[in-house]
Amino acid sequence: MKEFFLDNKISIPFVLFGKIHIICISILIVGLITIYKFRNKIKKIKFKPAKKIKFSMFLILFLNMTIYYGSYIYYGIYNWKVHLPLHFCFIAGILFMIYLLTNNRKLYKIIFPLTFIGPLPAIFYPDLSSSLDYFVFYQYFISHHLLMIFSYFILYLDDFTITNKDTINTFILANIIFVTMAIFNQIFQTNYIMSNKLPDFILELYPVLKNIWPPIILEIIGIIVLFLISILTTIKNKEDKKVQ
């Protein structure tokens, strides 16, 4: 059990763009396409079943993070300089969980793109050593792939209309989070949201990135993902107008 959580010996390695990696990406794509295909049926789900679905989503995400941090604390390797839930994906996940409990529609309209901005780059370049025999692999899948699938499902379940104003607010919030964490990193000598340095394996893959200030790279990636997500919301908004 300890080996499952700590991964001291790599038995089933995680290979970048290997078979397991491609399967994970494929599950995400199939999940998003399936949601879009059945979007009209999702919109018609009644209040009580919808409430149970959202609570189930919350429970999965919450237990995922609880077990993740709990195992590190239990085995005595927890380090607040590395293991606080201050990575962009985790912040987006926490905000999404708050929505699932509160149904604050204003909150969701701003955080919907955040649930893609953080996880999407990480699904293509995850910082993993092992796969099927390592708990963090499953934690990674839930907090990235499933988070995006859940968030997109909610877009139709609660029938949201995400406007350009909401997208601008998301951009502002994302930068507030980034600047706040950059200040935090400078004060406490940490590297949350990679504001000080990109992961070593990324720099090994793309040495040219060593010459570029990390915030510039992250800002560009964020804008690209935000643009891609705006395509999804634009498609939904146009379909909603046709129905009216």
Side-chain angles (χ1 to χ4, degrees):
M1 185 61 71
K2 184 177 181 180
E3 174 61 24
F4 176 65
F5 283 107
L6 301 187
D7 191 40
N8 292 317
K9 298 178 182 178
I10 300 175
S11 298
I12 308 177
F14 183 93
V15 180
L16 195 65
F17 297 111
K19 185 182 296 184
I20 294 175
H21 191 189
I22 295 299
I23 290 173
C24 290
I25 295 174
S26 300
I27 290 173
L28 171 64
I29 294 172
V30 171
L32 297 178
I33 291 174
T34 302
I35 290 170
Y36 182 74
K37 182 177 180 180
F38 294 99
R39 61 194 181 282
N40 293 324
K41 290 185 178 181
I42 293 172
K43 287 181 182 181
K44 295 177 181 178
I45 296 176
K46 295 182 180 179
F47 176 77
K48 286 187 177 181
K51 189 176 180 180
K52 291 180 180 179
I53 290 172
K54 286 191 278 189
F55 182 74
S56 297
M57 289 179 176
F58 167 81
L59 203 58
I60 291 171
L61 295 172
F62 178 77
L63 290 176
N64 180 53
M65 298 308 295
T66 301
I67 296 172
Y68 173 65
Y69 287 115
S71 64
Y72 281 7
I73 293 172
Y74 179 80
Y75 288 113
I77 65 166
Y78 183 85
N79 181 351
W80 70 270
K81 285 194 171 186
V82 180
H83 299 134
L84 288 175
L86 298 178
H87 298 287
F88 209 103
C89 302
F90 294 170
I91 293 173
I94 290 170
L95 292 174
F96 181 67
M97 282 191 281
I98 292 173
Y99 168 74
L100 293 174
L101 290 180
T102 63
N103 291 307
N104 186 321
R105 295 183 68 85
K106 289 183 179 179
L107 175 63
Y108 177 85
K109 292 176 75 171
I110 297 175
I111 67 170
F112 169 68
L114 293 185
T115 57
F116 284 78
I117 290 176
L120 194 57
I123 73 163
F124 290 104
Y125 294 99
D127 190 4
L128 286 172
S129 53
S130 296
S131 55
L132 300 178
D133 62 340
Y134 184 28
F135 172 75
V136 172
F137 167 75
Y138 300 97
Q139 184 274 336
Y140 150 78
F141 183 84
I142 293 172
S143 60
H144 294 76
H145 301 67
L146 272 192
L147 174 61
M148 286 187 278
I149 290 172
F150 286 171
S151 185
Y152 190 49
F153 187 91
I154 291 294
L155 181 70
Y156 286 101
L157 180 69
D158 287 346
D159 201 11
F160 278 96
T161 298
I162 309 294
T163 65
N164 290 332
K165 182 180 178 181
D166 297 321
T167 302
I168 293 173
N169 288 335
T170 298
F171 180 75
I172 294 172
L173 176 60
N175 278 279
I176 290 174
I177 292 172
F178 184 80
V179 171
T180 301
M181 291 315 308
I183 296 172
F184 182 94
N185 290 332
Q186 288 298 316
I187 294 173
F188 297 105
Q189 297 301 301
T190 53
N191 190 37
Y192 291 107
I193 313 185
M194 301 177 293
S195 66
N196 293 329
K197 181 186 176 184
L198 296 177
D200 290 336
F201 79 98
I202 292 292
L203 296 178
E204 290 177 6
L205 286 171
Y206 306 105
V208 67
L209 297 180
K210 295 179 181 179
N211 303 317
I212 305 175
W213 191 35
I216 294 177
I217 298 172
L218 298 174
E219 191 77 19
I220 292 173
I221 292 174
I223 291 173
I224 292 173
V225 176
L226 195 60
F227 172 74
L228 294 174
I229 299 310
S230 69
I231 295 176
L232 295 180
T233 56
T234 299
I235 290 173
K236 183 180 184 302
N237 294 344
K238 287 183 178 180
E239 289 180 345
D240 291 344
K241 285 183 180 180
K242 289 180 180 179
V243 174
Q244 293 176 356

